[in-house]
Amino acid sequence: MRLSQSFLPVLKESPSDAQIASHKLMLQAGLVRQTAAGIYAWLPLGWRVLQKVEQIVREEQDRAGAQEMLMPTIQPADLWRESGRYDAYGPEMLRIKDRHDREMLYGPTNEDMITALFRDDVKSYRDLPRMLYHIQWKFRDEVRPRFGVMRGREFLMKDAYSFDLDEAGGQRSYYRQLLAYLRTFRRMGIKAVPMQADSGPIGGKLSHEFIILAPNGESEVFYDAAVESIDLDRPGLSYDDDAGLAALFNEVTGSYAATDETHDPARWAMVDDKAKRTGRGIEVGHIFYFGDRYSKAMGLKVSGRDGDMVTPMMGSYGVGVSRLVGAIIEASHDDNGIIWPEAVAPWKVGIVTMRADDEATVAAAADLYQKLGAAGVETLYDDRDERGGVKLGGMDLMGLPWQIIIGPRGLKDGVVEVKNRASGEREELTPEAALAKLTS
RNA sequence: CGGGGAGUGGCGCAGCCUGGUAGCGCAUCUGCUUUGGGAGCAGAGGGUCGCAGGUUCGAAUCCUGUCUCCCCGACCA
C-alpha cells in the first residue's frame, strides 16, 4: 500500500476522550473512530489488524475440529423465551421492535439460537459430537462503555459451541478448546494466562478465563509462573489424544492462577515465592462447560444408541476478537506508539523515504516496495512528500515490525537502514540484503 | 444507575465569572525558502459557540429544559 493513496488518518495529538494507552493509540494511529459511546468504526489500519486476529482465531478453531458458520445479529425474542433468558437478561440486552411490532433483539450471545438450530436438524447420537462456531458482531448495552474497543458495546466475538452425548464427551470438547485457546493466543505473540473462573450465572463446573497481562488491566491477577511455560508442541499433545489433553488440563489447573474475584489467599500462600507472579490483566477469552442448561430447557434431544432419548451436553467458548486488538496494544506499546507482534501487524514492513525529492531515493524505495510485494511481504510505503521526521514518527506510531529507511545519505554508500520497531535495533544493509532479510 | 466533568473550525484548547457579534496552537490550501527524527516566512479558507426555549436593545457568555460525550464507582467478552 502506498501511503499517499490510502486513508490512514494519523493524529498529531490524541483526542481528549481517550484515557488509556491502547485507546489513545488506536485513535491516534487511525485504527478506529468512535461513532457513539462504545461503538466504533474500524478504519483500514484497524480493520487489517482485526482481520489478522480473526484469522488466527479461525484457523485454530478449525484445527481443533470446530466448524465455522454464521448466525445473524438480530434474533427474535421468542428464542430467548424458550431458554428462559429473555426476562433474566437485564438491560444490557438491546431490545428492538420491527415494523410489525415483533419483539427482536440484537444478540449479546448465541447459545439459545445455536441450540435451536442444532435441535431442529440433529436427531441421532450418530451426529454427535459436534463443535460449531461463528465470528460475529454482538451488542451488549453496557451501562458504561470505556477503554475504547476493550469495553465497547458493539464488539466482534468468536463464540463456539460444543454438543456431546455425555459429560465425558463434553469434558473432552472443553479440553480441546483449552488447547486451541492456548495456541491461538501464543500465535498472536501475546501471553495469555488461563485462570480458573467463576462460571457465573451461566452455571457449570468447568470454566476458565484467559487473561492478557497489561498494566491497565481491569482485574488483578495472581498466578504460578509454571502456567506460562506449558509446552504446547510436545509429542502426544493433539486434539485426538484424550490422555494428552487430560494431562494438559491437569497441568493448567494444577498451577494456581486466579483473578481478584476468585483469589484464594490460602492456596496462594502455598505457591513457591519464586514462582509467584502478580499483575493486572484483561480478559480476552472465556470457556465454559454448562452441561444441559440449554439443551434441556429447549428440548434438544437425540436418539441414543439404545433407542432412548439423550439430552446432549454443551459448552461455549468465547474470544473477544475486537477486544484483543486493544488488549494486544495495551500489552505491547511504548512512548512512541504501538509495537505490533508480527502475526497481527497490519503490514510487516514500512518503507520511509527521507527525501521525497531525491530521485535515487524514490527509485530505490519503489524498487524495494515492488520486490517485497512480489515476495508476498505486506508492505506500507510512505511515499508522501513529507519531511523524514514526520514519516518516521508515523511509522513508530503505527507500529509496523520493520522499517526500511531510505535516503540519499545512505544510498551514497549503497545502503539503506533496517529498523526493528520492538528492539529499536538498526542495521545498515544494501537494498538486496535488506530484501533478503525481510523475505526470509 | 449513583457521583463528578465537558460540549466553541478537522484535532487540542482559551474566551463565559464581570453580555457588545469569536480567538490561539496544530492541521488544511497557495507561494517561496528549506529537507536524515514531527521546518521557516508570507498569505488564504474553514465555526448559526450541542440543541430548544427564555431574559435583554444585544447572549458563546445569564436563566430553564434537553441531548450527547468523558471520568470515578457498582456491572461485564
Side-chain angles (χ1 to χ4, degrees), chain A residues 175-206:
Chain A
Y175 291 175
R176 284 187 181 162
Q177 285 287 346
L178 179 71
L179 176 56
Y181 273 50
L182 291 170
R183 286 182 168 164
T184 299
F185 296 127
R186 184 185 60 172
R187 268 186 69 184
M188 287 174 194
I190 51 178
K191 197 186 282 178
V193 182
M195 307 208 168
Q196 201 104 36
D198 195 356
S199 38
I202 289 188
K205 299 161 192 167
L206 293 169

Side-chain angles (χ1 to χ4, degrees), chain A residues 70-182:
Chain A
L70 184 62
M71 288 179 268
T73 53
I74 306 289
Q75 310 183 20
D78 284 348
L79 204 48
W80 285 63
R81 293 211 167 88
E82 272 195 68
S83 66
R85 282 213 288 180
Y86 191 70
D87 296 322
Y89 222 97
E92 284 144 46
M93 185 149 74
L94 181 63
R95 295 155 209 258
I96 47 189
K97 277 185 182 166
D98 69 10
R99 67 194 300 163
H100 300 295
D101 226 32
R102 284 185 286 241
E103 293 177 281
M104 313 292 280
L105 58 97
Y106 195 117
T109 178
N110 287 71
E111 280 87 3
D112 318 78
M113 186 180 286
I114 191 79
T115 304
L117 286 166
F118 200 77
R119 174 195 63 200
D120 293 347
D121 283 288
V122 170
K123 302 294 173 197
S124 161
Y125 74 94
R126 294 171 192 274
D127 295 322
L128 294 179
R130 288 291 184 275
M131 209 144 48
L132 297 162
Y133 75 98
H134 77 335
I135 299 172
Q136 177 63 291
W137 292 92
K138 307 273 191 294
F139 195 92
R140 291 185 194 169
D141 200 358
E142 299 285 346
V143 208
R144 192 190 152 207
R146 63 183 112 172
F147 304 148
V149 301
M150 288 209 296
R151 179 79 186 280
R153 291 193 292 172
E154 187 184 48
F155 54 95
L156 186 62
M157 181 178 177
K158 182 284 300 182
D159 39 326
Y161 303 92
S162 63
F163 299 88
D164 286 274
L165 267 184
D166 52 28
E167 201 168 320
Q171 198 175 60
R172 196 178 307 123
S173 295
Y174 185 89
Y175 291 175
R176 284 187 181 162
Q177 285 287 346
L178 179 71
L179 176 56
Y181 273 50
L182 291 170

Side-chain angles (χ1 to χ4, degrees), chain A residues 198-215:
Chain A
D198 195 356
S199 38
I202 289 188
K205 299 161 192 167
L206 293 169
S207 178
H208 280 87
E209 50 190 26
F210 291 77
I211 306 276
I212 284 193
L213 300 172

Side-chain angles (χ1 to χ4, degrees), chain A residues 107-385:
Chain A
T109 178
N110 287 71
E111 280 87 3
D112 318 78
M113 186 180 286
I114 191 79
T115 304
L117 286 166
F118 200 77
R119 174 195 63 200
D120 293 347
D121 283 288
V122 170
K123 302 294 173 197
S124 161
Y125 74 94
R126 294 171 192 274
D127 295 322
L128 294 179
R130 288 291 184 275
M131 209 144 48
L132 297 162
Y133 75 98
H134 77 335
I135 299 172
Q136 177 63 291
W137 292 92
K138 307 273 191 294
F139 195 92
R140 291 185 194 169
D141 200 358
E142 299 285 346
V143 208
R144 192 190 152 207
R146 63 183 112 172
F147 304 148
V149 301
M150 288 209 296
R151 179 79 186 280
R153 291 193 292 172
E154 187 184 48
F155 54 95
L156 186 62
M157 181 178 177
K158 182 284 300 182
D159 39 326
Y161 303 92
S162 63
F163 299 88
D164 286 274
L165 267 184
D166 52 28
E167 201 168 320
Q171 198 175 60
R172 196 178 307 123
S173 295
Y174 185 89
Y175 291 175
R176 284 187 181 162
Q177 285 287 346
L178 179 71
L179 176 56
Y181 273 50
L182 291 170
R183 286 182 168 164
T184 299
F185 296 127
R186 184 185 60 172
R187 268 186 69 184
M188 287 174 194
I190 51 178
K191 197 186 282 178
V193 182
M195 307 208 168
Q196 201 104 36
D198 195 356
S199 38
I202 289 188
K205 299 161 192 167
L206 293 169
S207 178
H208 280 87
E209 50 190 26
F210 291 77
I211 306 276
I212 284 193
L213 300 172
N216 262 315
E218 52 199 344
S219 47
E220 208 172 347
V221 297
F222 308 83
Y223 67 97
D224 185 329
V227 288
E228 283 180 2
S229 50
I230 296 173
D231 179 8
L232 301 178
D233 301 307
R234 63 191 179 215
L237 185 55
S238 84
Y239 291 112
D240 302 320
D241 181 341
D242 289 354
L245 288 172
L248 173 72
F249 177 77
N250 289 333
E251 206 172 334
V252 166
T253 47
S255 303
Y256 185 80
T259 65
D260 41 16
E261 286 170 358
T262 54
H263 186 47
D264 176 355
R267 282 190 61 201
W268 180 236
M270 289 156 63
V271 176
D272 182 356
D273 278 345
K274 273 181 278 184
K276 277 181 178 155
R277 299 284 184 276
T278 59
R280 300 198 69 83
I282 302 157
E283 182 180 351
V284 291
H286 204 154
I287 58 180
F288 293 100
Y289 171 74
F290 47 71
D292 61 6
R293 161 70 182 84
Y294 295 95
S295 41
K296 202 168 172 183
M298 299 183 70
L300 162 60
K301 275 183 265 190
V302 299
S303 321
R305 199 177 297 270
D306 309 317
D308 50 339
M309 297 305 282
V310 180
T311 298
M313 298 298 184
M314 297 173 56
S316 75
Y317 315 89
V319 171
V321 177
S322 50
R323 165 180 278 201
L324 263 167
V325 176
I328 290 169
I329 295 171
E330 205 55 52
S332 182
H333 69 274
D334 64 15
D335 290 344
N336 296 322
I338 301 168
I339 303 174
W340 291 115
E342 213 162 301
V344 299
W347 290 275
K348 177 179 174 181
V349 179
I351 296 176
V352 168
T353 48
M354 293 308 293
R355 289 288 299 264
D357 59 349
D358 180 69
E359 272 182 42
T361 299
V362 172
D367 186 54
L368 265 177
Y369 173 59
Q370 190 273 120
K371 286 176 174 157
L372 282 165
V377 177
E378 293 177 308
T379 305
L380 177 66
Y381 171 23
D382 191 346
D383 59 339
R384 292 173 305 164
D385 184 12

